[in-house]
Each structure stands twice: as C-alpha cells, then as structure tokens.
C-alpha cells in the first residue's frame, strides 16, 4: 500500500490519477490540444496559473511521456510543448472525466443532468471531438 501520493499502488486508477492529478494539468493538456505552444503562450493562456506551477506541471507531464518538449537550441531559448502520441491516448479518458464532472456539477447545483454535452464550456475542460469554444491562437512568425 502506498505511503504517499507519489507512490503508485497496484490500482490502475491510482496509476492514471498519479499522471493527470494536479490543479492545472487538464487545462494545460486542453490548451495543447490544438498544437504546440511556447511556455510564455501557455502562461498567457492560463492567467490564474503561476509560472512556477506551470513549469512544475510541464516537467511532470514530460517525465510521464504525456507531452513532448521541443528545444530549438537558440538564443534566446525557444521551447515548445506538444502532446505526445502517447499523451493523445488520454483524450477519451479526459473526455469521460469531463462528462462525469459536468454531470456531477449539475447534480450538486440541483439541476437535472444533461446527456453528453456537445463541447467543453470552459478552459478547464479537456478537448472534445465536437470542437471548442475558445478562439484560435495567432500564429507567430519565425524570428
């Protein structure tokens, strides 16, 4: 039996949660769903997150193989993050969590649960195949 949250027991749910558990990891993955982003772009797209927490979550997701870190090796540094092929396998898991969470919030608010929603309604929701409500990112020109 695990002594701390960082240790993984024999339960597959614990193994899954050890990778995606974190206040901002779902939001980070949702932001990266449309393609690679630089650290500063991610930081601006999630105004409530501190830079320290963003870097911490990015390092944890890279270590777990969920996202890839691409360093251009330039000065000044140009680092992009993207969802790895392995990380893309989390999409149905995150969608199921999103659906369940949406239903749970409705029940907690005393509303009748709706059937599967068409698209996420906030940045904290993971990507869905039906599209998103956020505006497209501006493409930056290469320097």
């Amino acid at each position: 039996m695990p002594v701390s949250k960082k240790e993984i027991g024999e339960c597959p749910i614990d193994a899954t949660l050890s990778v995606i558990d974190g206040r901002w990891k779902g939001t980070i993955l949702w932001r990266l769903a449309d393609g690679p982003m630089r650290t500063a772009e991610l930081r601006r797209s999630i105004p409530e997150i501190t830079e320290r927490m963003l870097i911490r979550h990015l390092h944890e997701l890279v270590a777990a193989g969920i996202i890839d870190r691409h360093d251009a090796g330039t000065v000044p540094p140009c680092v992009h993050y993207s969802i790895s092929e392995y990380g893309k396998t989390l999409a149905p898991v995150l969608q199921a969590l999103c659906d369940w969470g949406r239903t749970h919030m409705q029940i907690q608010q005393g509303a009748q649960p709706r059937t599967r929603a068409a698209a996420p309604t906030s940045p904290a929701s993971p990507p869905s195949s039906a599209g998103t409500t956020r505006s497209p990112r501006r493409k930056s020109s290469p320097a």
Side-chain angles (χ1 to χ4, degrees), residues 3 16 29 45-46 70 76 120:
V3 177
T16 304
L29 291 170
S45 74
I46 312 169
H70 309 277

Side-chain angles (χ1 to χ4, degrees), residues 2 8-14:
I8 300 172
E10 295 180 20
C11 177
I13 294 173
D14 287 344

Side-chain angles (χ1 to χ4, degrees), residues 9-92:
E10 295 180 20
C11 177
I13 294 173
D14 287 344
T16 304
L17 292 177
S18 72
V19 173
I20 61 173
D21 185 32
R23 169 66 180 94
W24 301 105
K25 286 182 182 174
T27 304
I28 291 167
L29 291 170
W30 185 75
R31 294 291 184 188
L32 291 174
D34 288 339
M37 291 180 81
R38 294 183 68 176
T39 309
E41 287 178 294
L42 275 168
R43 175 71 175 89
R44 282 190 302 269
S45 74
I46 312 169
E48 300 86 12
I49 194 170
T50 63
E51 187 156 351
R52 178 177 179 243
M53 190 56 63
L54 174 63
I55 299 300
R56 177 179 170 190
H57 283 319
L58 288 172
H59 284 228
E60 289 174 2
L61 289 166
V62 168
I66 305 303
I67 63 174
D68 291 325
R69 181 180 189 272
H70 309 277
D71 188 346
T74 60
V75 176
C78 181
V79 178
H80 287 83
Y81 292 92
S82 63
I83 297 177
S84 67
E85 287 303 313
Y86 178 59
K88 290 176 185 176
T89 65
L90 268 175

Side-chain angles (χ1 to χ4, degrees), residues 30-31 34-35 37 41 45 132-140:
W30 185 75
R31 294 291 184 188
D34 288 339
M37 291 180 81
E41 287 178 294
S45 74
T132 62
T133 57
R134 66 183 176 152
S135 61
R137 216 174 45 241
R138 283 185 281 143
K139 297 285 183 189
S140 59

Side-chain angles (χ1 to χ4, degrees), residues 95-113:
Q95 184 62 54
L97 285 171
C98 180
D99 293 343
W100 187 89
R102 189 174 284 121
T103 301
H104 179 69
M105 290 187 315
Q106 291 170 351
I107 290 171
Q108 294 300 308
Q109 295 170 355
Q112 290 294 324

